[in-house]
Each structure stands twice: as C-alpha cells, then as structure tokens.
C-alpha cells in the first residue's frame, strides 16, 4: 500500500511522534510505502510530496513541531480540491491518506472522504476541544507548560502581595485554563464557557486578602469574556478582543483588577510556549498509539474514521461524530474545580 | 459529618493533592469536620489523629509525599482491627473514612467496609496496576521521571556506542517500563507479563549495531524475568531476584548483555526518584478530582466503593471489582509498542 | 550576637536559601540569635520582627520568594530612618543586620552603614547588573526559565514559518536576553546597551528566510530601544515605553516585523515567570554560600561590605564599589554572541 | 585556515555547543574551513575526517553527546601518533587542531603540542576537576540533574521515614556530590577528598531521627571511601570498589546504614543520566564562548593553550598549568557546606 501522511492546522506537540509511528508501523510491519505530504492540504493540492523512510523519522519522537510543515489553504482552492479528490490521490500516488489535524482538518478530511478520497484522520489539539475522544495528544503538554508557569508565579506573587493574571490558550473552550488552573492551584479560573462578572472576580480576590492571604493567581483562557457591561474601565486600542493586539484579555483583566482592588496586578501571556517544544511522555505515547491505529484503519479500509481514545483503548470513530460539536467544559468538571478555588 | 482521611502504602505523587481536595470540599462546601489519621491504618488502630483545617493543607498541592504519613501494619493487628471496625470508628470519632492507597489498602478497605466501617476508597498506584479505573494518579509522574532519564541517556549512549539498561519500577506489571519505554523511544522493553529470552534481546541489539546504529536503550521493569535457563552467566550474590540486593535485574541484564555482545553496557537504577517529588499536572488534577468525589461518595453513603476514572468522568465502583484482579499490560498495548521498538 | 536579616526589592529565586543559610550558620555554629525583619526596610522602621529558628527555615531552600516579605519604602521615611539608624538597631534589638537585596537595597544599606548601623549586604539580582561580583543568585534561574521558553518556541516557529519575539526582563541591562538568547540559539538579540535599528533586524530575518530557513527567534530585553526614528509604524496607546501598558517592546517589535517582512510574527511576554519559582541548583549553592559568608562578615565586623563571588571564592567587598556603576554587557561579551546569531 | 576539531573522553553536555560555535566563528567570521575529526584522537590517527559546514551544526546546540563521536586510544598507538604529530597534521590536512576533552585529553593535547602539532584545547568535565579554570561546561548540567533527583527523593524519604543514599559521579573529586548535596539540602555529603567514618555518618542520622526528623538524605560521590576498617559488615562480590560491579559505594553504604541504625535505607544510582541530555543554559553559553575563543587562539597562534573561565572572562592559559594538578574540593568549600548539613 502507498500511504500518504500530512499534518495540518496549528502546531501541536506530538505531531512528529504520529508521523514516526505511522512510518514504523507501515514500513516495518506492512511493507507499505509512505509518502509525506508537505504543508498539509496545500501540499496535497500542489503535489508536493516526498518519500518517508525509517531514517527520516529517526530522532523526531521527542521533537515538537512537524517535519512535514503545515499551512493554510484558501477556501476556494480547498473546495476545488475536494471536488476532484480522487484525481488528487492518483496524482500524488496514494492509496490512503492519514490526515493529522484539529477540528478544521477533521472537517476537511471528512469532505475529502465524502468525495471519495480514502482518508483516515488522527485528531490533534492542544485545546482538547475535539469530541468523540477522551483526550488527544498536545493538550497534556500545553497544561504541563502552563502549570509550570503558575508554579513559578505563585512565589513571586506571594512575596510581593500581588495578583498575577495568567492568560492561557483556548479561544472557544477553557480546558487548558481549567486543568492548569486546578493543577497550579489558581484562585480564579475564567473560561469561555462561563462569561465572568468582573465584580465577582475582584470580590473573591479582596476576600482572600481580607483573610490574610497575600496573593492571588487568576488563570484566564484567551477566549474568556466578561458578561456584557461588567468591565468598569476602558482598555487598549481599537481591536479590543483580537489575539494580535496589545489588549488581550490577560492585559485588560489585570489592569481592571489593579484599578478595582488597588493592589498591584501583573499579566503573564505564555503564548506559543504552550504549543511548542518536546511533548510530555503521555502525549508521546498517545501520539505513537494513534499512528499505529491509523495505519491499521487504512489497511482495514475504515475510511472516514478517526482514531479515538476511549477508556484507555484506541478505537475508530466516524469523523462525523467528532466534528458534530465542540467539546466544551461540562458543568460536572466546573463544580469539581470550584471547590478548590 | 466527621470525615476521617488516611493514606496507606507506598509513596505516590498526588497523595497530598487528594488530602487537600478532601479538606476543601468537605469543609467549604459541606461544613464537615475532617480528621487526619496518621500513618495509615496504624494510626487508626492506635487512635492517632489530628483535625485538618484549610490552613493545614495550604501549599501541599504541589508537594510529593503525604502530610499524614504512611506505615505498615502487622497482619495480626490488622485482622483484629477489622473485627472491631465499628468501635474503632467510634473511638476515632468518624462517620466515614476516606482511605487512599494501592492494592493492599483497597483490600484492607474492603475488609473494613465488610465489617461495617463506612469506608470510601481512593486508588493510588504509580504502577497503574489497579483494575476498574482507566488510570490513577502517580503513574503519570513516574512515567514522566523515567522518560526524562531515558531522554538523557540516549545522547550519552550514542556518543559512546553503548547499551544502556534502565531499570524501572514495576514488580508485577510493566506499565511504567512500557509507557516510559515508548515515550523515550527505547529499543527493548522488558516487562513481567512477558518473560524474556536473553538471546532475543542480545540479537536485537546486535542487529541494531549491524545496521549502523550506534547505541541501544533497554527499559526493564524491576519485575521482568528471563525465561528459565536463558541467562548465560552467573551474577550477584545469594538473593538473586530480591529488590534490596546488589543484583537487581538491571545490573544483571546489563552485565549479561555486555559479555554477550562484547560492547559496553551500563545499568541505571532510577529507584525511588520515580515515586517522589512534585506530581505532574495531570496527576494533580486527577488527585484533586478523586478527593472531591470521595467526599461526595461519603455523603451519598456509597461505602465500599472507590473513585474511578472512566473515559474522563469520575464514577464510584465497588472496591471488590478493583481488587478482583491485577491490571496487567494487555496484548493490545504490547503489539502497539512492538512496532516502534 | 543578635543578628537581624531582611530581604528587600524585587523577588529573586534564592532569597530563602540565603535566609536559611544565615540561620543555620549563625545558630548552629555561632550560637547567635537571629531576628527576621519583615517586609524589608519597612519592617525595620516599623519594628516588625520575629525570631527565626532552625524550624522556621526548614524546607525553604528550594522555594522561591522570601518568607520575610519585601516592600517599598517612601523616600522621606527612608531618609529619616537612615538619620536615626543606631536607635533603630537598638529598638529592633540587633547587633548586626544582614540586608539582602539589589541595587536599591545596596544603596540603602550603604547609607545605613555610613550612619552607623552595622550592616552587611548580600547582593541579589536576576538582572546580573551588580558590579563587583562575578554573578549573583537569581540570574541563573531567570536565564534557565527564559531558555526553556525559547527551546519550546523554536519548534512551533519552524513548523509555521514564523518569527517569534520573546520579551525578557532587563530594563537597564541585557544580561538575561544575552545569555538566554545565546543558550536558546536566538537569531537576534536586542539589549538596552545597544539601541537597535529595526531595518537591520528585519533584513537579518529576511536573509534567513532567503537562505531557506523557515523561522526566526528574536530575544529582546524589555529595556531595549530602537535607535530614534527607525520604527516605521505607530503602535499602542499613550504610554509607549512603559512596562504596564499593552505596548511593551515585545508587542511593538513583533507587530513592526510582521508588517515589514510580511510574515507572521508573534510576541511572547514571559514576565514574572522569570523571577519566581524554585531556584536552579547553581543559585541555591551560591545563595547558601553568600549566607554563610554574611554571618562571618558580621562576626568579623566587616560592616559596609557585601559578599561577592570572585573566581569561585566568596570575598567581602565594600558596598560602595558595587553600587558605583551598573554592570552592563561589555563589548567582549557582545562580539562572542554575534558570531552565533 | 584549515581548522580541525575533535572531541575526546567521556560524554559531557555541551560538546556539541562547542563544535557549533567553532564552526560558526571559523566559517562566518574568518572564512576558515573546518574539518571534524571522528572519534577523538583515534580518528586523527586513522585520518577519519569530514568537512563541517554551518548546516552540519544546525540544531545541535541543545543536544547532548557529540556529533563527532569519542573513543579510547591504546597507549602505544597514542605514543606513536605523538612522535609523528606534524605528519599527522599534514595527512589530515589541518593548520590547527581544537581538541575538546577532559584531563586525559588535555594531557594528550599537551604532548601533541610539545611534538609540534598546533593544538588549542577546550576543557570539558562534568566532574569540575580541571584546574586553571573557574569551571567548565558539563558540571552545571550534572549538578542540575542530581539536584532534581534529590528534590524528588526528599518527599518519598519523609513519607516513609527512610534514609536515601544517592550515589553521584566523581571518582577522584567530590564536586558533584558537594554542589548537588548543598543544592538539594542533603544531610550527609561524602566525597573522595575526605575518607568518611561510617559511625559518624550513622550517628548523624540517628541524631536527626532523635530530633524528630523523619528522614535523611546522603549524597555520596562514587569515589568516596570509608576510612579503613570502619565498615562493620561485608557486602557484595569480589570487586568491592569497582564501578561495574553490583557493589558500588551507594549500594554498600545504604546496606550498612540500614543494618546499623535499623531503619530502611534505599540506594539510588543516577549513573549516566548525569552526563547525558540537553545542557543547562549556563553550560550552553560557556561552551559557546569557549568555542569562539578556541578559534581566536588558533588564529593568534596561541598553541599549547586552553580556554579558561576566570571571573567571567575567557582567557587562554597554558595547558601545562591545567594538568599540573587535579582540582579537588578545598577546605573552604567544605566548611561552607558543613554548616547547612
């Protein structure tokens, strides 16, 4: 079998581990040929591929990023590509394609699959927002990095009687903020799923100081938003909520808290450190297992499916199930977290 | 409600996180009183307890070990204690007991529960050998530490064209060796579930060197054993297989490989570094969630149950189910690992 | 002898290690009494002190922050305090004071010393800007944290063909950016000592991409400034150069690069993670040695001196020598760094 | 200029950083040609070399080990090689040789230099036993790894009321044990420079337990030895003091302590984890600076010299000065450490 593999979407620790695993399983156990597609679906459209050997994947297990690259595709080109999916497969010369990516990639993979391209998907997301799998690789590393940062911030916050606001990734879901906040022992956790009231946040902090505590840590997802009309002050430039501007929620919230409670507050924006670098052991293992099962799925003809973790086992699930809805933080996880805030 | 809490058995990162969570949930949300029992069941028998307040658990989330201590109890005393379990609860003054521990603790907890002591259990094990839960806290930290060590050993092995034999914890099950071996990219993984043939191991290494590779890493669980009669040479003192002697499997295997293939081989025995120190983010979160649910189980009267993780949710399961059998590495996990060795 | 000890100025990993060492050396070896002064010079003025025992410093070696707290003093109060330094010592009941702090603290310590208060100083600074000592504790930890972040950012930058701008601490000197930039293999290092030309920076990046490299990392000290008139675009709000605003140099530079070269550029602001958390081994050792020598200096009456590291040895030097000038990055260090950019 | 570079002796984090720096400085700034010699002096004798380009050293800054390999040379071959050093240089085609290595390498480098080969040396040692330089790269990483292990062991030792004996590298000098012991807060530090009395060690531990402390950590250098006749019990096989046997000092000491004081004692042998893996930021910077200065020394004709760190500056010193004597732990460092044991 000639097996294509591509990585698409944002960077995520563990992508290389999947690629390595696909290559090992396919070549060593199935005597397949493996073709790496460069820069995601763009490379598929432009027929930019290269053969992948065991040597090519030597040493990449522990490395962040993706040796295949990743890029965005304009919508028009993607639509066109989907409509001629089978020809595409012939041009590139593949019998089956392993597409590794997040929600957007899964949606694209599904369209390709519907159009007749034999696609198997491997879900990746640091945000943990993909439904139908207990978790995917990348998230554990992001939480690990964020937790280390919170651990460090605690002592400096305490020594200086400060509030520290840590802005973490998560535009639509709050999993990183929830898990890193719980792991780091944050005193406030703000997530997109629950619009926050700034007064409640500030009162919580004031109460802590009133009880003799000398500091507070607030973990805030970049997508967390105040309930309308609750921010007292104006902050930042024109593009208030955008990611690239200087006025992200971390900066704005920190300034707001400082003015409100009259104590020093400092923002920390961890940014892309959360999605780069060597994956945690857990993410390496999960990514390696996913790679193995993606090859199996291709050989079994389970196209249109993706690998999913369910109670410790890897099973194939229809991609359609995974993209049907975003996996948000449920009430049950929230009330567990609230008890230790 | 007056809630007792004890930790029993070997050290495990995350014990303090459970204690902290129990105290927070019980005191803040239920207005319970929490009584810490010292040194596990020994403290229960000897009525050595102390009240736990929110202040007592301040700052312990990130700390390894257990603030309550842990100790072994002679069998006779345990049997006697079980038979008068209810009086014991009265003496200590508790309405329900949260027992945090591994397989031995769960078995004891079950006996106490059968004898009428209202017990709720929280499973802990770095070995991951407890059935009925997807995983418990402690294991991820152990794998993390072991993987970091393998990462470091690889470069030194490569520079010197050496074999490195890393002995990891796991007397009865090979989960740590399996997961850390996969995460670290080991070339051989030896686990108790699969007696190994020394010749196969040495041939694998010789083949690697023949293919131009300059080193090999073997991850071996302390409980891994050669198939009878396959070790060529004599090693060590009288207590060949015991843990405390100088001739653990890591040392013996390394010596055997060196003599067999005629290349330098070095053992590394990570020992208790795998079960000490600050828990990983994942273990902190899981431990915290378990604590929350243990309190709920006590309030709901779900005695004789333990908290278990199932596909991301925490559910109560009968302790009897968990201790019925040891969770060993299944064939399905083994064949996934074999592909990347 | 009754020995006072205080920590003053910004947080710095290793402060607790000095306190612990002072207490051990003073109590165990000299049978001194040790008095901890709370919140730096403020506690001295307000006579807020507490006895420190061996138990009080148990377990603090590895902890960031300071158990004594630190606070700012208004200038008027400080001046007054200096003028009645001797009475102050009598009130607080100390025969000698160990003042641990940065440049401001050393200046204050010198004034107190000149006014007759028997002061010995221990220099601390994450910025490495104190002259007269090879290095002080805190800097190694800051560089360690910053380097870990750059390591992580590299893979994500490479996968996405991005520029990453990492803003590091250092308002007046560029030591952290220089050392972390070298250790992380940054492609541009911008420090306060050398106003940068934005065109040169962008050309360097464009050349890298032209040579087929897929990413660039720029380490910029928060105090680095463009040569006047070289920034092409307008950024941020009113308080362009201030630390608390949303338009710090990292944000501004990243936006500038993105517009100039037409490739995605992302800022990462590590902030206070660089000055919090557990000190590195090196910082713990140096802090411990400084504590030992501070006690010796007090017993030898070497008042007005501070501990300094010189070629591996700890020696007392006049505080005046240390505060005479800021230690900036010399030309010799810069040209070493340039070769590997 | 045609510049040869080789790495020799045991593995040491930072070797690759030196190679990378030599290549950058030589090629970019001097337009030199750089020739990598494989497997140390063996490759020199056997004329196994390859040209090193900027691409060859891409990405190696952060990697442990050495891309050039390292191997031992039989004495006879080395003597012969020294006698025809100049021809050797002609055969290999080099105008100057940068030899990176430890004490043995420096001695060899000196002999080659005396015989007319234009050699410049760069000292490396994780043991910190090279005189004439404040410190060399590799040591900080070893201490970092050892300290992390001690940090982890503390909590498990405390929970179980155990003694933990950590065997660290250092056959002839105790620097790693001293620095990691101080950084980790060990209660006993045993080094080759000071033969220990087992009774004193055990009494110290017993006193700790008597004072209510629940554990003890002993850091022991692999070369530490009991004063003759002080070990009470017999341990291990025939090769009592050798490194490869099962009866290293860590194992023996742990067994001795357990029998003596009647409390559980556990050995941990970190082994080669101390000399592998990614170098610390400090080691990367120092290694990079050394590489720069080695190229300068070659261009200035400072043959027979090695790079040395003195109070923050890199200076050339005669190799003869460095190999004249082993740098052992001086009394002054020892008494600093004793105060906090």
């Amino acid at each position: 079998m000639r097996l294509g593999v591509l990585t698409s979407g944002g960077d995520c620790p563990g992508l290389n581990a999947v690629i390595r695993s696909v290559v090992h399983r396919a070549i060593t156990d199935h005597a397949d040929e493996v073709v790496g597609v460069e820069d995601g679906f763009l490379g598929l459209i432009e027929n930019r591929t290269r053969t992948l050997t065991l040597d090519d994947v030597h040493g990449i297990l522990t490395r962040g990023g993706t040796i295949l690259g990743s890029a965005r595709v304009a919508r028009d080109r993607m639509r066109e590509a989907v409509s001629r999916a089978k020809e595409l497969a012939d041009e590139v010369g593949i019998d089956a394609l392993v597409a590794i990516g997040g929600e957007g990639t899964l949606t694209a993979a599904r369209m390709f699959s519907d159009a007749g391209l034999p696609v198997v998907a491997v879900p990746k997301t640091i945000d943990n927002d993909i439904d139908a799998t207990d978790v995917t690789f990348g998230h554990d590393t992001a939480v690990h990095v964020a937790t280390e940062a919170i651990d460090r911030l605690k002592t400096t916050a305490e020594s200086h009687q400060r509030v520290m606001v840590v802005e973490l990734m998560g535009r639509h879901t709050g999993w990183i903020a929830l898990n890193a906040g719980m792991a780091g022992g944050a005193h406030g956790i703000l997530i997109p799923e629950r619009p926050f009231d700034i007064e409640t946040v500030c009162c919580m902090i004031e109460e802590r100081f009133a009880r003799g505590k000398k500091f507070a840590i607030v973990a805030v997802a970049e997508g967390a938003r105040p309930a309308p009309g609750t921010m007292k002050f104006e902050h930042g430039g024109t593009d208030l909520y955008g990611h690239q501007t200087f006025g992200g929620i971390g900066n704005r919230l920190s300034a707001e808290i400082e003015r409100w409670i009259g104590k020093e507050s400092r923002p920390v924006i961890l940014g892309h450190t959360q999605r780069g670098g060597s994956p945690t052991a857990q993410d390496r293992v999960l990514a390696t297992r996913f790679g193995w099962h993606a090859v199996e799925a291709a050989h079994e003809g389970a196209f249109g499916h993706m690998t999913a973790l369910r109670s410790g086992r890897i099973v194939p699930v229809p991609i359609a199930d995974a993209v049907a809805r975003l996996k948000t933080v449920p009430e049950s996880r929230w009330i567990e977290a609230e008890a230790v805030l």
Side-chain angles (χ1 to χ4, degrees), chain A residues 3 25-26 29-30 120 290-302:
Chain A
L3 203 62
R25 178 64 175 165
D29 298 344
H30 288 288
V120 170
F290 272 176
W292 194 97
H293 284 273
V295 174
E296 293 318 289
H299 276 270
E300 289 163 12

Side-chain angles (χ1 to χ4, degrees), chain A residues 12-13 20 33 50 55 80 115 123 128 131 153 160 169 174 187 203 212 224 236 246 273 332-333:
Chain A
C12 181
R20 169 181 175 268
E33 206 176 328
R50 58 177 198 264
D55 273 351
E80 186 199 348
N128 192 34
D131 213 23
L153 291 171
H160 288 289
M169 284 192 164
H187 310 102
C203 286
F246 306 156
T273 53
S332 61
R333 284 298 311 270

Side-chain angles (χ1 to χ4, degrees), chain A residues 18 97 216 274 290 316:
Chain A
V18 181
L97 176 70
Q274 294 161 83
F290 272 176

Side-chain angles (χ1 to χ4, degrees), chain A residues 62-109:
Chain A
T62 61
R63 277 168 46 196
T66 161
I67 58 166
L68 293 175
S70 183
R72 289 193 199 130
V73 184
R75 250 180 225 195
D76 286 351
R77 295 199 70 184
M78 190 67 106
R79 246 182 249 133
E80 186 199 348
V82 167
S83 74
R84 60 182 204 86
K86 279 189 175 168
E87 296 159 61
L88 218 52
D90 286 345
E91 278 167 34
V92 174
I94 54 172
D95 303 315
L97 176 70
V98 177
I100 313 164
E103 221 218 334
T105 305
L106 296 178
T107 303

Side-chain angles (χ1 to χ4, degrees), chain A residues 171-336:
Chain A
R171 290 197 202 181
H172 305 295
T173 62
W175 289 102
I176 295 177
L178 177 82
N179 284 324
M182 280 181 82
H187 310 102
I189 297 177
L190 306 178
I191 60 177
E193 289 88 341
R194 308 180 72 90
F196 62 87
D197 179 66
I198 186 71
E199 191 170 346
T200 312
V201 175
C202 290
C203 286
M204 175 278 290
I205 296 170
E206 282 180 328
E207 267 169 46
R208 264 188 69 80
F209 281 96
R211 272 183 290 134
K213 300 294 179 185
K214 296 186 160 173
F215 71 107
I217 305 280
V218 178
V220 55
E222 60 183 336
R225 295 289 166 261
T230 64
M231 293 287 266
K232 225 170 164 178
F233 310 100
E234 287 301 313
H235 308 278
T238 53
D239 183 13
L240 268 180
Y241 293 103
H243 187 54
Q244 292 92 333
T245 71
F246 306 156
I249 189 65
N251 285 321
R252 295 177 65 230
L253 183 64
S254 176
E256 184 90 10
I257 291 170
E258 184 165 303
R259 295 193 213 176
W260 194 302
I261 68 168
K263 290 207 182 275
E264 282 189 335
S265 180
R266 290 282 177 279
V268 173
I269 320 295
L270 292 181
H272 287 72
T273 53
Q274 294 161 83
R275 67 184 327 135
S278 190
T280 58
Q282 188 197 164
D283 279 342
R284 296 183 199 174
V285 171
L286 185 55
T288 299
R289 297 178 68 195
F290 272 176
W292 194 97
H293 284 273
V295 174
E296 293 318 289
H299 276 270
E300 289 163 12
F303 301 119
H305 283 67
M306 73 166 206
T307 55
L309 178 73
R310 294 267 179 90
S311 257
R313 284 164 198 284
I314 314 292
V315 295
V317 298
I319 297 176
D321 290 4
V323 297
R325 63 177 207 93
L326 205 67
K327 183 168 70 177
T328 53
V329 174
E331 181 71 15
S332 61
R333 284 298 311 270
W334 181 254
I335 58 173
E336 290 166 10

